[in-house]
Amino acid sequence: MARFRIVGGTKLRGCVQISGAKNEALKLIPLTILLNNEVKIINLPRISDVLSQLKILKSIGAEFNFKGHILSINCSNVNTAKVPDGVAERLRASIVLVGPLLARFGYADIPLPGGCLIGPRPIDTHTDSFEQLGAEYGVKNNRLKVRLEKPIGNKVKLKEQSVTATENILMYAAGVEHDILIENCAIEPEIIGLIQAINDCGGSIQKISKRSFRVKGSKKMSKAEIEVMPDRIEAGSFAIAFLATGGEGEISLVRENDLEIFFDLLEQINANFEIRNGNLKIHKSDNLKPFKIKTAPFPGFPTDLQSPISLLAARAKGRSFITEAMYENRLSHIIELKKMGLKAEIVDKQNVKIDGPCRLRSTEIESPDLRSGITLLIASLMAEGETIINNVEVIDRGYEKIEEKFKTLGAKIVRE
Ligand code: EPZ
């Protein structure tokens, strides 16, 4: 297991370019199962979850080559809906293979998905939505089998505004010649990006209301090139890194609408920043104010920025309150940060109070999951002295060349 050795106390300075969005890329790859030709996906981030998703596609017959940030992939030779064990169980996003496989073969047989240990990660919203169209499914030996030769009915109402469940049923509906109205959808920017990609491929997904879409499926979708949007969570992570270390800098490829509530919070806590034509400038901000946030489906505060934002609570003067309403176990970074001196009280599984300002001190810590990993990396940059972060592979799941990016901003960080 690799680890980072970090000497903290540096104020980050400079410019960083954001990579393609992990949580869009991991769905565009399975989408190609519905296309009848070779397609290029550009601005694809070279992160381990993308490499895992590609390994899964290869195991069912997809052919591709991935050079730099350009993937050329052709799924015309995909000849089975049975995904072998070995990779999919490590990845939450493998669950969205069901929709495209079901649309193409009437059948899907995949290992139950894995993913960060931040909660039970149920798939009942997924199976329930396919059942509403007449699907039969079963779970046995840690594998999920779904059968749906021909959809019955024309409406699905999601039990929960689940991101991957929305994407799963949208991709299914896009690939079968049938009209389906899907209600109570999640509407994260990555989902809107997937919808735009499907429509660019000749699909027909029409917005009916804020959270409902009418899909007229087609078997003739094809497309030459799809571009991955910039990763809003990476952009937010770097904005927090500049502010948390008392530095200043510029983050390029940031789409303002993707992070509206995040920018509202920065304004509220007195952070100095400006965003113009896709560039986010963070200026030195020395008297940050405490805040109160509760995570929620988009356009609410993104749960994926809940861990890193706690570092701004450490710099603010006063008591902040953070509620993680989406997951049951996504406060583990607080335990590690307390080892570094964070003054915090975990009230219960979903609530934490943080008193600032407090100086973090270096120590040896573990990064339990992707977003707590980036939080601990930034905390190590804030702390005086040398910090060791173990099992940093979890950070590589969602952040490309993370130590290089931080080094260009002046961080003293070495991967061992
Ligand atoms: C996706 O996971 C993302 N993963 C997650 O990002 C992200 O945290 C999550 O959406 C929420 O935005 C990918 O896209 C691969 P869910 P998903 O089904 O689809 C609860 C990262 O770090 N919930 O939306 O598995 C639900 O019960 C990863 O990049 C509500 O409470 O997430 C579950 O506990 C981690 N109310 C949790 O949210 C709702 O209305 C996530 O559910 C909807 C969901």
Side-chain angles (χ1 to χ4, degrees):
M1 298 294 259
R3 60 185 200 170
F4 283 147
R5 184 179 293 275
I6 297 168
V7 176
T10 330
K11 293 182 177 0
L12 295 177
R13 268 195 184 69
C15 301
V16 62
Q17 167 132 359
I18 299 302
S19 302
K22 165 176 95 77
N23 289 342
E24 187 190 37
L26 293 175
K27 292 63 177 257
L28 291 175
I29 292 168
L31 173 67
T32 60
I33 292 170
L34 297 178
L35 308 183
N36 308 315
N37 65 310
E38 171 158 304
V39 58
K40 265 191 180 32
I41 300 182
I42 64 175
N43 195 33
L44 193 68
R46 293 198 80 89
I47 52 177
S48 54
D49 273 10
V50 160
L51 301 178
S52 300
Q53 196 75 311
L54 288 172
K55 228 164 143 185
I56 297 169
L57 267 284
K58 185 171 184 183
S59 71
I60 55 173
E63 288 144 336
F64 61 82
N65 77 341
F66 187 18
K67 276 203 179 57
H69 296 106
I70 298 178
L71 172 77
S72 295
I73 183 167
N74 190 327
C75 288
S76 35
N77 290 336
V78 168
N79 45 25
T80 172
K82 187 175 164 67
V83 174
D85 288 335
V87 185
E89 48 275 40
R90 292 203 302 264
L91 202 64
R92 175 70 181 168
S94 57
I95 187 71
V96 300
L97 282 156
V98 173
L101 290 174
L102 212 44
R104 184 158 160 182
F105 298 103
Y107 178 63
D109 178 353
I110 69 165
L112 282 177
C116 293
L117 303 174
I118 48 184
R121 315 298 299 272
I123 59 166
D124 55 312
T125 313
H126 296 251
T127 49
D128 173 76
S129 56
F130 290 118
E131 260 190 316
Q132 290 181 43
L133 291 175
E136 284 159 6
Y137 78 93
V139 175
K140 215 168 90 186
N141 313 329
N142 269 338
R143 290 186 66 89
L144 167 68
K145 289 189 178 135
V146 189
R147 184 172 293 285
L148 180 56
E149 302 292 345
K150 193 162 169 21
I152 47 174
N154 297 86
K155 193 166 118 173
V156 172
K157 185 172 171 58
L158 286 163
K159 273 178 27 173
E160 204 174 50
Q161 292 155 11
S162 157
V163 169
T164 46
T166 301
E167 294 162 328
N168 227 347
I169 196 74
L170 275 173
M171 287 201 274
Y172 171 74
V176 289
E177 281 166 348
H178 199 76
D179 284 12
I180 301 177
L181 174 67
I182 304 170
E183 296 181 319
N184 196 30
C185 292
I187 50 172
E188 270 66 5
E190 294 75 20
I191 297 174
I192 305 307
L194 178 68
I195 289 172
Q196 276 157 357
I198 290 171
N199 286 340
D200 289 352
C201 294
S204 158
I205 302 183
Q206 195 198 355
K207 180 173 176 175
I208 304 297
S209 73
K210 180 179 176 188
R211 290 185 182 278
S212 61
F213 296 89
R214 180 179 305 290
V215 188
K216 287 187 175 53
S218 151
K219 293 280 184 196
K220 300 191 240 354
M221 287 201 287
S222 73
K223 175 77 179 154
E225 189 173 285
I226 301 173
E227 178 161 3
V228 181
M229 65 194 273
D231 192 316
R232 64 191 170 106
I233 303 301
E234 184 183 13
S237 306
F238 274 100
I240 291 167
F242 281 119
L243 292 166
T245 57
E248 55 190 338
E250 190 164 332
I251 303 165
S252 60
L253 300 181
V254 180
R255 303 187 329 179
E256 187 163 359
N257 298 342
D258 293 353
L259 286 168
E260 214 166 317
I261 196 160
F262 174 71
F263 293 133
D264 290 349
L265 179 71
L266 292 192
E267 244 163 53
Q268 183 200 318
I269 65 170
N270 219 11
N272 303 320
F273 70 100
E274 56 196 291
I275 175 146
R276 216 194 337 264
N277 330 322
N279 284 317
L280 171 60
K281 281 199 178 117
I282 302 285
H283 304 298
K284 226 164 141 36
S285 307
D286 286 328
N287 38 14
L288 297 180
K289 293 198 295 205
F291 54 88
K292 200 172 162 58
I293 56 148
K294 180 175 182 182
T295 62
F298 192 89
F301 192 87
T303 172
D304 295 344
L305 287 177
Q306 176 266 114
S307 319
I309 203 82
S310 47
L311 298 172
L312 300 191
R315 264 179 62 91
K317 294 180 181 61
R319 172 165 287 187
S320 296
F321 298 85
I322 298 177
T323 300
E324 171 50 76
M326 301 274 278
Y327 285 104
E328 298 74 9
N329 176 27
R330 201 172 200 178
L331 296 177
S332 52
H333 57 291
I334 297 290
I335 298 159
E336 297 301 308
L337 290 173
K338 282 168 74 93
K339 291 179 193 164
M340 298 176 76
L342 182 74
K343 287 184 287 194
E345 183 202 332
I346 297 184
V347 177
D348 59 29
K349 281 184 171 184
Q350 297 191 292
N351 291 283
V352 61
K353 292 184 220 171
I354 300 175
D355 289 326
C358 78
R359 300 187 68 71
L360 300 180
R361 56 178 183 277
S362 50
T363 177
E364 178 151 353
I365 40 182
E366 292 285 313
S367 52
D369 66 75
L370 165 60
R371 306 301 175 183
S372 55
I374 198 73
T375 302
L376 296 176
L377 195 165
I378 299 167
S380 310
L381 298 171
M382 294 164 76
E384 293 295 335
E386 182 174 275
T387 300
I388 302 282
I389 304 182
N390 293 311
N391 73 308
V392 295
E393 284 82 358
V394 289
I395 304 177
D396 297 330
R397 294 188 56 165
Y399 294 91
E400 180 179 339
K401 294 201 173 77
I402 193 64
E403 71 267 34
E404 273 85 9
K405 286 176 179 166
F406 274 110
K407 271 185 201 156
T408 58
L409 300 176
K412 298 185 190 71
I413 175 171
V414 173
R415 181 187 290 255
E416 296 176 340

